[in-house]
Amino acid sequence: MPETHTPLLPFTILLAQLILFIPPIATLHADEGITTYYIRYDVKSSKNKIIDDNLLMVPAKNDFRAEKFSHFSTAGVISAARGESKAVIEKQIRENALKTVLVNQGLKSVKTKDHDTVISYEGLIMTPLNILKNTYDEGNNQYVYDVQIEFSPIAFPDNWKTLNGYHNIKQVFDEFFQWFK
């Protein structure tokens, strides 16, 4: 082998080892569950009357727009018959709790056209939502609940560039330290 190619041999061996090491790291991230979700609650009104509302919840693993996560507790009441299934009741409780936290703590934005208005409330949550209390009130035919949520409102858009920079730096450090695990 000529002398000009000998310095490339250790580099080629190192590169081959790195390529063989990458698939275990990729599978490590593939097995992780989704814990962070972007949520938005839109309330549409026309001529000062609410006509529609929509709750959207999508995975947000790499969303950098969160301000700071905090624990929030919310209590409320939902109407339901005593015979409804536990899964349906818990779904209604979770949806109602998310709407309440978004309205009280989320980033609010308003879009208006003619007499139609859409108010959006945005934030991020970390699952699971903990239902602390869920009791049935027979006299009023309703369930009283208490839920604890880890929630962060979305930062104002003028902070997104700075938060994206911090997020990118954090990702570089996380990827660097993955090599040592």
Side-chain angles (χ1 to χ4, degrees):
M1 188 181 279
E3 235 179 80
T4 58
H5 295 294
T6 49
L8 293 177
L9 184 61
F11 176 73
T12 306
I13 293 171
L14 178 65
L15 187 61
Q17 288 175 343
L18 289 175
I19 289 172
L20 293 174
F21 186 67
I22 289 174
I25 292 174
T27 57
L28 174 73
H29 291 296
D31 293 337
E32 294 177 356
I34 299 170
T35 58
T36 307
Y37 288 87
Y38 166 80
I39 55 174
R40 185 176 75 211
Y41 179 48
D42 297 323
V43 178
K44 184 176 181 181
S45 62
S46 181
K47 298 179 183 174
N48 299 324
K49 190 176 191 181
I50 294 176
I51 57 171
D52 192 21
D53 68 338
N54 184 35
L55 181 65
L56 172 74
M57 184 170 163
V58 293
K61 182 176 181 177
N62 290 321
D63 199 326
F64 60 87
R65 301 175 297 164
E67 284 185 347
K68 182 180 177 185
F69 280 93
S70 302
H71 288 284
F72 290 96
S73 291
T74 181
V77 176
I78 60 166
S79 298
R82 185 162 181 82
E84 286 194 50
S85 71
K86 184 178 178 181
V88 170
I89 292 167
E90 286 184 358
K91 180 183 175 195
Q92 288 177 351
I93 288 173
R94 284 187 176 95
E95 285 179 5
N96 203 29
L98 289 174
K99 289 176 183 179
T100 302
V101 168
L102 279 168
V103 168
N104 293 335
Q105 304 296 329
L107 177 68
K108 297 165 184 68
S109 60
V110 179
K111 297 174 189 167
T112 305
K113 184 176 180 182
D114 297 329
H115 295 287
D116 295 338
T117 303
V118 176
I119 302 174
S120 298
Y121 306 93
E122 298 177 276
L124 290 146
I125 62 161
M126 295 188 81
T127 56
L129 277 66
N130 297 321
I131 299 176
L132 303 174
K133 178 180 146 186
N134 175 9
T135 56
Y136 182 70
D137 180 10
E138 251 184 78
N140 295 324
N141 204 24
Q142 60 192 11
Y143 283 87
V144 179
Y145 67 86
D146 190 14
V147 177
Q148 187 176 36
I149 301 171
E150 195 167 349
F151 176 80
S152 170
I154 296 290
F156 285 108
D158 57 347
N159 295 336
W160 289 358
K161 187 175 181 179
T162 305
L163 290 172
N164 189 25
Y166 291 144
H167 177 73
N168 290 337
I169 291 169
K170 182 180 179 283
Q171 273 189 320
V172 167
F173 278 109
D174 287 346
E175 290 173 6
F176 175 74
F177 287 120
Q178 285 295 322
W179 290 99
F180 299 107
K181 285 187 177 184

